[in-house]
């Protein structure tokens, strides 16, 4: 992996992060109405002008827009996202507490999706048109059609309340009770994994079928290589790139899609402070969480590009 290519990708990621931060800042100031008045208004009653002026000064809204933008970027460079307007708690500390739980949920769901989706896609492609291929295609179509909150609710009703095989929801730290932690993680991870597993199945099946049709596969078979060696060395290696791309993009999408799952299973990730901040018009918390999710999405894309370069060095050209 060349240093120049790696430097370009990192700089591009940093530039994209700056663009995202700028868009979030401008979007906050394009919202109709005065944020200070919205925060102080209760039951439709007009807030006290003196209180509005005091809050505007506290939030820096009385400064010129360019000055506010400079303070905003300077705070980001210092790692200062401000304090919550609801409880005056530092936004960065709240995100630092909640983010690992959301990432754990996404990672667990991704592992489950890869374990089931990729091998099933390969098997369906190798046995194209068979009973497994047809059944799996119907099942994945159904999984893609059913919303994640519906799947989560059904899992709670069936496995938790009816069969009582798993807890319905909640959270216990891993260090406190590893077994209970894993039990509480299982159902939300399955709910997260259902859509990703279906997408990975379809992409793996299509990429494997495409690789099987190439001349180098027929040549390898003509040389007397075993079917397993042909599949692993020649087919899967060339089918990995599109699968990795989809996996990276879907993992980024899961950052936003976990909100409903965390709500259904009472998993204390980023969704709880985000929903509370939206309801309470806690703008620093909303901006901090949105920026965190956006930057993580960019980092996932960068990791996918680096993995592509490791799998196929030609992408650095």
């Amino acid at each position: 992996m060349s240093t120049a290519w790696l430097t370009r990708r990192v700089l591009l990621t940093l530039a994209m992060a700056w663009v995202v931060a700028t868009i979030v800042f401008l979007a906050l100031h394009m919202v109709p109405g005065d944020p200070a008045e919205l925060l102080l208004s209760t039951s439709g009653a007009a807030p006290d002008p003196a209180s509005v002026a005091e809050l505007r000064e506290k939030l820096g809204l009385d400064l010129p827009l360019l000055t506010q933008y400079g303070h905003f970027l300077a705070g980001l460079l210092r790692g200062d996202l401000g304090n919550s307007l609801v409880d005056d708690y530092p936004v960065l500390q709240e995100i630092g507490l909640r983010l690992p739980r959301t990432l754990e949920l996404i990672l667990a769901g991704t592992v489950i999706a890869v374990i089931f989706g990729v091998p099933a896609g390969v098997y369906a492609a190798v046995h194209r048109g068979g009973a497994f291929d047809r059944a799996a295609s119907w099942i994945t179509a159904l999984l893609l059609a059913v919303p994640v909150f519906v799947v989560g609710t059904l899992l709670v009703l069936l496995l938790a309340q009816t069969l009582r095989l798993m807890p319905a929801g909640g959270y216990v730290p891993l260090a406190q009770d590893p077994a209970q932690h894993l039990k509480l993680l299982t159902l939300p991870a399955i709910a997260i994994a259902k859509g990703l597993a279906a997408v990975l199945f379809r992409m793996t099946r299509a990429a494997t079928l495409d690789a099987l049709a190439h001349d180098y596969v027929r040549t390898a078979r003509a040389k007397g290589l075993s079917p397993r060696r042909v599949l692993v060395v020649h087919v899967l290696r060339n089918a990995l790139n599109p699968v990795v791309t989809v996996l990276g993009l879907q993992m980024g999408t899961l950052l936003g899609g976990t909100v409903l799952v965390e709500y259904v299973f009472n998993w204390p990730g980023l969704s709880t402070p985000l929903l509370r901040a939206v309801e309470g018009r806690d703008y620093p918390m909303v901006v901090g969480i949105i920026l965190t999710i956006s930057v993580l999405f960019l980092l996932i894309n960068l990791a996918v590009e680096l993995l592509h370069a490791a799998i196929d060095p030609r992408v650095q050209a």
Side-chain angles (χ1 to χ4, degrees):
M1 187 179 302
S2 67
T3 304
W5 181 86
L6 178 60
T7 302
R8 287 197 304 270
R9 304 316 301 173
V10 172
L11 291 177
L12 180 59
T13 301
L14 292 175
M16 290 295 296
W18 169 71
V19 170
V20 169
T22 302
I23 292 175
V24 171
F25 173 82
L26 294 176
L28 177 63
H29 287 77
M30 291 173 63
V31 175
D34 188 340
E37 291 184 2
L38 292 174
L39 286 169
L40 294 175
S41 60
T42 56
S43 303
D48 178 43
S51 300
V52 173
E54 182 180 353
L55 183 57
R56 284 181 58 83
E57 182 179 357
K58 178 182 177 181
L59 298 177
L61 297 175
D62 57 333
L63 300 173
L65 184 62
L66 191 59
T67 304
Q68 293 183 48
Y69 180 63
H71 290 171
F72 174 72
L73 292 182
L76 293 182
L77 292 176
R78 295 193 308 268
D80 181 12
L81 297 175
N83 291 353
S84 168
L85 299 179
V86 176
D87 52 16
D88 203 32
Y89 191 77
V91 172
L92 190 61
Q93 290 187 27
E94 182 73 11
I95 293 176
L97 175 65
R98 304 275 184 168
L99 180 60
R101 301 168 185 172
T102 295
L103 293 180
E104 180 187 17
L105 181 57
I106 292 174
L107 180 60
T110 301
V111 170
I112 294 174
V114 170
I115 289 175
F116 286 94
V118 174
V122 173
Y123 188 85
V126 174
H127 300 84
R128 181 180 184 182
F132 178 83
D133 184 23
R134 294 195 299 270
S137 297
W138 276 100
I139 293 173
T140 53
L142 178 63
L143 290 177
L144 289 173
V146 180
V148 65
F149 66 89
V150 174
V151 173
T153 304
L154 291 176
L155 288 174
V156 171
L157 291 175
L158 178 62
L159 297 180
Q161 296 186 356
T162 302
L163 300 178
R164 300 187 181 278
L165 297 176
M166 304 294 291
Y171 178 81
V172 173
L174 179 63
Q176 177 180 332
D177 190 343
Q180 184 66 12
H181 178 85
L182 293 177
K183 287 181 180 179
L184 292 169
L185 177 64
T186 300
L187 289 186
I190 292 175
I192 286 288
K194 69 93 184 172
L196 180 57
V199 172
L200 288 178
F201 168 82
R202 292 194 166 194
M203 179 53 65
T204 303
R205 180 182 180 276
T208 304
L209 286 174
D210 181 69
L212 286 170
H214 280 77
D215 292 336
Y216 57 78
V217 174
R218 288 190 288 268
T219 302
R221 289 170 175 168
K223 289 181 178 179
L225 297 180
S226 65
R228 180 183 296 272
R229 182 173 177 80
V230 172
L231 181 64
V232 173
V233 176
H234 297 280
V235 175
L236 291 184
R237 183 174 181 180
N238 289 280
L240 275 179
N241 263 335
V243 175
V244 169
T245 300
V246 170
L247 177 60
L249 293 175
Q250 289 296 314
M251 284 186 67
T253 304
L254 290 181
L255 288 169
T258 55
V259 173
L260 290 174
V261 174
E262 290 180 353
Y263 181 79
V264 170
F265 292 97
N266 196 25
W267 185 265
L270 284 178
S271 65
T272 302
L274 178 60
L275 293 175
R276 186 173 64 241
V278 171
E279 292 176 355
R281 300 186 182 97
D282 191 350
Y283 292 103
M285 185 66 71
V286 173
V287 170
I289 294 177
I290 291 176
L291 283 177
T292 300
I293 293 175
S294 301
V295 170
L296 284 174
F297 187 86
L298 293 175
L299 291 177
I300 289 174
N301 284 343
L302 177 62
V304 169
E305 291 182 344
L306 296 179
L307 188 56
H308 275 175
I311 297 174
D312 186 0
R314 292 174 298 178
V315 301
Q316 303 180 44

